[in-house]
Amino acid sequence: MALALSAVEPNPSGDAPYLRIATEEAYASREFLSAVSQLVDEGVDDPGLAAFFGYMLHSEAPRPTFVRERLPDLGEARLSDMDATGIARQILSMAAPGPNPFGADRGTALARNANDELEDACQRQPDRFSALATIAPQAPNAAAAELDRCKSRGFVGAIINSHVQHEYLDAQKFWPIFEAAESLDMPVYLHPTTPSKALIGPMLDRRLEGAIFGFAVEAGLHALRLIVGGVFDRFPRLRLVLGHLGEALPFWLYRLDYMFKAGGRRSRESRAARPPSEYLRENVWVTTSGMPWEPAIMLCRDVLGADRVLYAMDYPWQFEMDEVRAHDALPLAPDEKRQLMQTNAEYLFGLR
Ligand code: CA
């Protein structure tokens, strides 16, 4: 059963003067989906995972059904969806929660299997697919080794689906991952998942823990912890990618800097040498995943720089032809639109 998509029609802009490269496009193997389902059924100690993914994995409603069908597909159905919406290339990445909630050995094995499947897909469709490496951050040294293995197999970056059993990656035990990503020159896409236990409480009873709000709170907080925690002072060439137009951080830029200068820098907990905006403009790229909204896209281009904002669809969670059209209709010059839709991604992920 496919979701009825009223707006989808044959590629309406095959003549667009740019390639559409979609940079946050989810994949999950059937093995992975059933492993997460089992975690939820066994009463995993993660209320967000239980609530949100319990729904996504079990509901028979059209959207979760469509997502469950499409996540494992790396063949005809996905390619035909790409053709229908004029997507030249997807940069594939492991769906949330990724291997993060599993034990170290199980997570590492799941990551490796996912990467083998992704590598096969990219080899079958070299003109349509690229992929980010899946890693299990709870085993930091194994994760660093997996990045190295994946780099040699053509992966163009790594994905981390936010908190790791309620811990954040500014904790130094995780830094072998950043050290590897920096030295291998692989951008790290910090993707949301449902908020950690300490953060999620007041979101659950109003069902705000998912992509409606909780995802952005979780991933925005995580990114800010990396910045303030000194990750980019230690790894100045590390490149971080945030979806959903930077998880609201660009909107906060003035006040982040003001309050950092007013007091945050003096606190023992902040190790960052410079105000947050400097890292956001030098180490961070943002994608438009799920946010096909002109005022927000233009704000990000304005405050971060036009070379830092790139297109993403957020397939299969959001699969809307109108959202592609909204990007095509942005009030940008042709070369600026090409930068947003194509060349920023080519540069960031080394696609040519
Ligand atoms: Ca996503």
Side-chain angles (χ1 to χ4, degrees):
M1 175 173 51
L3 182 63
L5 287 163
S6 56
V8 171
E9 57 191 46
N11 180 2
S13 47
D15 58 347
Y18 40 80
L19 299 176
R20 297 193 191 93
I21 300 178
T23 56
E24 188 202 301
E25 315 309 314
Y27 148 83
S29 66
R30 293 191 192 285
E31 176 200 16
F32 173 78
L33 290 177
S34 72
V36 174
S37 185
Q38 194 181 346
L39 271 188
V40 170
D41 294 345
E42 288 168 356
V44 63
D45 179 30
D46 185 329
L49 190 63
F52 180 80
F53 293 100
Y55 170 76
M56 290 305 301
L57 289 167
H58 295 299
S59 168
E60 298 300 322
R63 181 168 177 266
T65 303
F66 176 78
V67 168
R68 282 199 306 274
E69 273 185 8
R70 286 303 201 269
L71 279 177
D73 187 287
L74 293 171
E76 285 314 307
R78 182 178 294 256
L79 288 165
S80 104
D81 289 346
M82 290 167 66
D83 291 342
T85 44
I87 303 301
R89 176 181 296 277
Q90 280 192 349
I91 298 187
L92 301 162
S93 55
M94 179 61 144
N100 301 20
F102 296 90
D105 290 346
R106 184 82 199 283
T108 299
L110 284 167
R112 199 179 166 93
N113 290 349
N115 291 331
D116 288 345
E117 276 201 31
L118 288 167
E119 185 189 1
D120 283 348
C122 293
Q123 283 175 351
R124 282 195 307 274
Q125 298 289 343
D127 298 329
R128 306 303 300 277
F129 294 144
S130 303
L132 304 183
T134 313
I135 54 174
Q138 60 272 43
N141 291 319
E146 183 65 4
L147 284 185
D148 192 52
R149 185 180 83 99
C150 287
K151 175 75 180 189
S152 68
R153 287 160 189 250
F155 285 72
V156 299
I159 187 154
I160 297 176
N161 287 292
S162 204
H163 75 78
V164 183
Q165 298 171 39
H166 318 294
E167 290 189 292
Y168 293 93
L169 297 165
D170 53 313
Q172 294 199 9
K173 67 179 177 182
F174 296 114
W175 289 17
I177 297 166
F178 296 133
E179 186 175 8
E182 185 192 50
S183 75
L184 295 165
D185 202 20
M186 295 175 90
V188 174
Y189 205 121
L190 183 68
H191 184 277
T193 191
T194 46
S196 62
K197 272 196 293 196
L199 190 59
I200 200 169
M203 297 185 196
L204 283 169
D205 64 332
R206 297 294 186 197
R207 299 303 315 265
L208 294 173
E209 76 280 4
I212 185 173
F213 187 68
F215 277 21
V217 176
E218 161 70 19
L221 171 74
H222 198 160
L224 202 49
R225 287 188 66 101
L226 300 183
I227 290 171
V228 173
V231 167
F232 298 102
D233 297 283
R234 173 65 183 80
F235 304 107
R237 289 180 297 107
L238 179 64
R239 298 182 293 165
L240 190 77
V241 190
L242 297 175
H244 319 102
L245 289 176
E247 314 293 2
L249 294 180
F251 185 83
W252 280 85
L253 216 52
Y254 174 84
R255 203 158 202 241
L256 288 171
D257 278 8
Y258 184 93
M259 290 300 171
F260 181 84
K261 290 172 189 164
R265 180 158 47 187
R266 288 199 300 274
S267 83
R268 251 181 319 123
E269 290 72 22
S270 171
R271 296 193 183 86
R274 297 181 290 150
S277 71
E278 296 194 21
Y279 305 95
L280 281 158
R281 291 188 177 115
E282 290 173 24
N283 296 94
V284 176
W285 281 254
V286 306
T287 77
T288 66
S289 55
M291 296 283 277
W293 192 34
E294 179 185 319
I297 293 172
M298 301 308 273
L299 176 129
C300 286
R301 286 172 52 88
D302 190 21
V303 304
L304 297 182
D307 55 346
R308 304 225 153 235
V309 185
L310 43 150
Y311 172 65
M313 179 183 276
D314 213 352
Y315 178 91
W317 307 94
Q318 264 173 260
F319 177 50
E320 306 282 351
M321 189 62 225
D322 281 347
E323 297 186 350
V324 179
R325 288 197 192 93
H327 283 84
D328 288 340
L330 287 168
L332 297 171
D335 60 322
E336 294 173 319
K337 218 171 282 187
R338 188 161 175 269
Q339 184 184 32
L340 175 79
M341 303 300 289
Q342 175 182 348
T343 56
N344 280 348
E346 290 172 342
Y347 168 75
L348 177 63
F349 296 109
L351 299 180
R352 39 156 81 167

